Amino acid sequence: QKEVEQNSGPLSVPEGAIASLNCTYSDRGSQSFFWYRQYSGKSPELIMFIYSNGDKEDGRFTAQLNKASQYVSLLIRDSQPSDSATYLCAVNNDYKLSFGAGTTVTVRA
Amino acid sequence: DGGITQSPKYLFRKEGQNVTLSCEQNLNHDAMYWYRQDPGQGLRLIYYSQIVNDFQKGDIAEGYSVSREKKESFPLTVTSAQKNPTAFYLCASSNPTSGRETQYFGPGTRLLVL
């Protein structure tokens, strides 16, 4: 079993819709969770981090964490063409991050 | 401007050659990391260092070596023992605090084999 798994893509959403990205992790001791956005050919950039159960909102992005279910998600509201990228879920594990394979999102105009 | 720089942007390696990728940060971060990314895959940890003069192997350290002589610098050498080095190499840094540190990435180096 992989440490961090993300829903397989690609995910295609119309402009203005909500994109929903899911991530599950195997280590119950993980304390911090991150979402990175990676444009093609570029390095990952941090979108959000979340430490506590519940929702965390930042602009059009909402991260949701459920430690009991070992599940973290990212919602992108009012999706824009500039949101088209690969989104990486990362989970802290003893001062190291484990990454999922990523979900590629395409926002169509 | 604070940030992480990596050089070169593209690097070509010949068979049997060792090559070194540079990573420098001026964020005053204690920890630095090297990852490898293959097409369609997530990032895999090669080596990491939490303090100067100390570093640990990650999940795929074979065929790679590092040094951490200065806080700002964490060069990665891809040795001839690494048989499949073609990948996108990413350096990151963070300030570890109780396991909640955020890692920030440099722009990456793309390594190709001639």
Side-chain angles (χ1 to χ4, degrees):
Chain A
Q1 180 187 4
K2 293 182 180 178
E3 292 184 35
V4 181
E5 296 203 44
Q6 297 185 237
N7 51 326
S8 59
L11 179 64
S12 179
V13 298
E15 185 174 355
I18 295 175
S20 177
L21 308 172
N22 303 319
C23 174
T24 58
Y25 59 95
S26 60
D27 184 354
R28 284 194 170 274
S30 299
Q31 296 185 37
S32 48
F33 309 85
F34 305 85
W35 283 100
Y36 288 85
R37 177 176 61 198
Q38 187 175 26
Y39 291 114
S40 181
K42 302 295 185 182
S43 63
E45 56 179 328
L46 181 72
I47 298 176
M48 292 190 69
F49 57 85
I50 185 167
Y51 304 143
S52 303
N53 279 329
D55 295 358
K56 179 181 179 182
E57 188 174 315
D58 184 359
R60 296 185 296 109
F61 298 97
T62 299
Q64 300 173 316
L65 175 61
N66 183 327
K67 290 185 179 179
S69 299
Q70 295 174 247
Y71 173 93
V72 59
S73 66
L74 180 71
L75 299 177
I76 308 173
R77 293 184 302 280
D78 188 23
S79 295
Q80 301 296 309
S82 59
D83 295 326
S84 297
T86 296
Y87 291 81
L88 302 171
C89 172
V91 176
N92 170 267
N93 182 2
D94 192 22
Y95 294 102
K96 297 178 291 182
L97 289 184
S98 295
F99 285 83
T103 300
T104 298
V105 174
T106 300
V107 180
R108 54 186 192 274
Chain B
D1 288 338
I4 305 172
T5 57
Q6 291 185 243
S7 62
K9 186 175 181 179
Y10 295 97
L11 185 57
F12 299 91
R13 194 191 89 163
K14 296 179 181 179
E15 291 288 339
Q17 185 181 37
N18 292 352
V19 293
T20 298
L21 285 61
S22 170
C23 178
E24 304 275 336
Q25 55 99 0
N26 61 4
L27 300 169
N28 200 33
H29 285 170
D30 288 319
M32 297 186 74
Y33 310 80
W34 274 106
Y35 293 91
R36 168 182 172 141
Q37 187 176 35
D38 293 281
Q41 298 189 31
L43 280 64
R44 292 185 290 168
L45 183 64
I46 304 173
Y47 268 98
Y48 65 103
S49 168
Q50 293 185 289
I51 197 168
V52 175
N53 293 321
D54 188 41
F55 49 83
Q56 287 77 40
K57 292 181 179 180
D59 301 319
I60 55 166
E62 186 175 350
Y64 300 97
S65 65
V66 293
S67 63
R68 187 85 187 278
E69 298 176 0
K70 298 187 299 182
K71 187 175 184 178
E72 303 79 23
S73 178
F74 192 40
L76 173 74
T77 297
V78 184
T79 74
S80 57
Q82 173 50 245
K83 298 306 180 187
N84 185 23
T86 297
F88 189 37
Y89 290 86
L90 291 157
C91 178
S93 70
S94 72
N95 254 341
T97 52
S98 302
R100 290 187 167 187
E101 69 282 7
T102 298
Q103 291 186 20
Y104 297 94
F105 288 86
T109 292
R110 203 165 294 276
L111 177 60
L112 301 168
V113 177
L114 294 177

